[in-house]
Amino acid sequence: MSLTGTPFFLTSLLLLTVALVVPLALWSRIAGPRLVRGAIRLAMLLFAQVTAITVVFVLVNNANNLYDTWDDLLGTGSHIEAAHDLGPDGMGGLQISDEPRRAQPFRPADDPVVGPGVQMTELQGRISGVSGEVYVWLPPQYHDPAYRTKKFPVVELLPGYPGSAKSWLGTLGVARQLQPMMERGEIEPFILVAPRTNIYRGADTGCVNIPGKVNADSWLTVDVRQMVINTFRAGDRPGSWALAGYSAGAHCATRLALAHPDRYHAAVSMSGYNDPAGEATSLAGKDPKLRIESNPLHELREANAAGRPPRTALFLSGAPGDGYEAALGLQREARRPTTVTVRRIGKDAGGHTTAVWRQQVPEVFRWLSGQVRG
């Protein structure tokens, strides 16, 4: 049974009801020696406590889409089939043009939390060796005959850690918020892509490639990206692609856009950080070399020093002590053609929560509409 959705929630409520009713009905009727009666009563109290905690967990988990499956929660699932050394470009000497171009089969999403019109697939990453689910939402114009020859811009949506691929579509309600804006012509008709990012057992990958462990960078920037281009009428130029994330996903969005200006032109970071050790479980943050190399500030400085500042546009939002200072650091370092827009969020806005990020969705996509085209 999935950790999210109605069935598990109703089951946990039923168990909690039983846990409350049974002691009321049987407390004074328990027979046997005093020790036995005490043990049974203690077991009933413990069962009531466990079921109450479970209901609270389910409510929080459903509200934030933190853990999608039991494997995610327990850290027992594996989405890594191989982790070869793919080199600096994350391609391992291969070329996308050499790979067979074939459309990926999709089916309607099996969880109503993501809203109507969302499709999903199980993707086997041919370059990265990573496998996982990918959710896709197509804009209302996609099936309009007037747009039959148009290629659409794409935004990859990255959650925090822990976080489900459903979180942007479910908790943040990104498609529900954007559809009427697209229909009114207020923003570009984006294809929204939400891939699995929780791929390594019990740890945040930091969206990096680590030979022998995980190729998270190549999963997101090569396999997922190319699959979307092969399957949908999606633009294939960097100017048609962007990344958006919050918390750990914000760090990833910024880092990946700066690392791959040949694949993405823009990135949105909400309450992000530069030092990957900002997430305690980050694999990149625990590796001294990667901690430096995967820091977006270091990436930008290195590119500037080499005389190759990336043609990348960044939108960074955060509150003081929660992403704002990191954003200002990148803004100070930016050299043309790199552009950095910083949005200060008030300390009283709501903290490091999905409610704060959900409110920013319309503003974020208005900005993206000025940066990427199909």
Side-chain angles (χ1 to χ4, degrees):
M1 184 182 297
S2 173
L3 284 176
T4 59
T6 303
F8 187 60
F9 177 57
L10 292 179
T11 300
S12 62
L13 281 180
L14 177 61
L15 291 174
L16 177 58
T17 303
V18 171
L20 294 175
V21 170
V22 168
L24 292 175
L26 301 180
W27 191 269
S28 61
R29 300 182 182 181
I30 300 173
R34 182 176 181 180
L35 184 61
V36 172
R37 295 198 308 271
I40 293 174
R41 286 168 178 161
L42 178 61
M44 289 192 295
L45 292 175
L46 290 175
F47 181 59
Q49 290 290 321
V50 169
T51 54
I53 292 171
T54 300
V55 168
V56 173
F57 163 77
V58 172
L59 289 171
V60 172
N61 192 54
N62 283 353
N64 296 280
N65 281 282
L66 300 175
Y67 300 99
D68 198 18
T69 66
W70 287 100
D71 283 340
D72 290 341
L73 176 63
L74 301 175
T76 56
S78 177
H79 296 269
I80 302 166
E81 298 174 3
H84 302 302
D85 188 344
L86 300 179
D89 65 352
M91 295 292 296
L94 303 174
Q95 296 294 325
I96 282 292
S97 57
D98 295 335
E99 292 292 309
R101 187 182 179 96
R102 59 172 181 264
Q104 178 80 6
F106 274 76
R107 67 182 188 276
D110 54 15
D111 190 339
V113 73
V114 298
V118 177
Q119 308 172 57
M120 67 177 298
T121 190
E122 295 292 335
L123 178 64
Q124 305 287 325
R126 288 178 285 172
I127 301 293
S128 67
V130 174
S131 63
E133 70 273 20
V134 181
Y135 294 86
V136 170
W137 181 85
L138 300 175
Q141 291 88 341
Y142 191 88
H143 297 294
D144 186 334
Y147 290 79
R148 65 184 180 277
T149 61
K150 177 180 173 61
K151 289 188 175 182
F152 292 83
V154 184
V155 182
E156 274 189 66
L157 306 170
L158 310 179
Y161 180 85
S164 163
K166 301 174 184 177
S167 60
W168 270 87
L169 294 159
T171 305
L172 270 61
V174 62
R176 296 183 183 94
Q177 293 196 63
L178 298 185
Q179 180 165 340
M181 297 176 67
M182 292 181 188
E183 291 172 341
R184 293 191 298 265
E186 296 178 16
I187 61 173
E188 285 287 306
F190 295 100
I191 295 174
L192 305 179
V193 179
R196 169 176 277 272
T197 56
N198 188 4
I199 56 178
Y200 192 87
R201 295 179 180 179
D204 170 43
T205 65
C207 298
V208 297
N209 284 356
I210 304 177
K213 284 189 175 180
V214 61
N215 287 321
D217 182 324
S218 296
W219 160 247
L220 296 170
T221 70
V222 179
D223 287 325
V224 171
R225 185 178 185 276
Q226 191 60 38
M227 179 274 291
V228 172
I229 292 171
N230 290 350
T231 306
F232 303 99
R233 295 199 313 277
D236 56 1
R237 299 176 295 107
S240 297
W241 279 77
L243 299 131
Y246 61 82
S247 191
H251 166 77
C252 285
T254 304
R255 194 197 77 72
L256 294 175
L258 290 173
H260 303 292
D262 59 328
R263 301 171 197 173
Y264 304 92
H265 172 61
V268 169
S269 163
M270 297 187 291
S271 304
Y273 47 83
N274 291 330
D275 184 350
E279 166 52 53
T281 68
S282 170
L283 297 177
K286 293 178 178 180
D287 182 299
K289 184 170 183 288
L290 277 176
R291 182 176 179 181
I292 296 172
E293 293 178 349
S294 63
N295 185 318
L297 198 58
H298 173 81
E299 289 180 314
L300 198 50
R301 286 171 177 165
E302 288 291 293
N304 291 342
R308 295 190 299 272
R311 189 173 296 277
T312 306
L314 302 177
F315 180 98
L316 312 169
S317 69
D322 189 24
Y324 181 62
E325 291 81 5
L328 291 178
L330 288 168
Q331 188 178 56
R332 287 191 293 267
E333 197 67 34
R335 304 288 182 270
R336 290 183 180 278
T338 309
T339 63
V340 178
T341 300
V342 177
R343 169 84 154 82
R344 185 180 187 276
I345 304 298
K347 280 189 174 182
D348 59 350
H352 197 80
T353 64
T354 53
V356 172
W357 304 319
R358 182 167 56 244
Q359 293 173 3
Q360 296 179 59
V361 166
E363 178 185 7
V364 159
F365 277 84
R366 287 192 184 97
W367 178 85
L368 281 170
S369 293
Q371 305 299 327
V372 294
R373 295 287 190 275

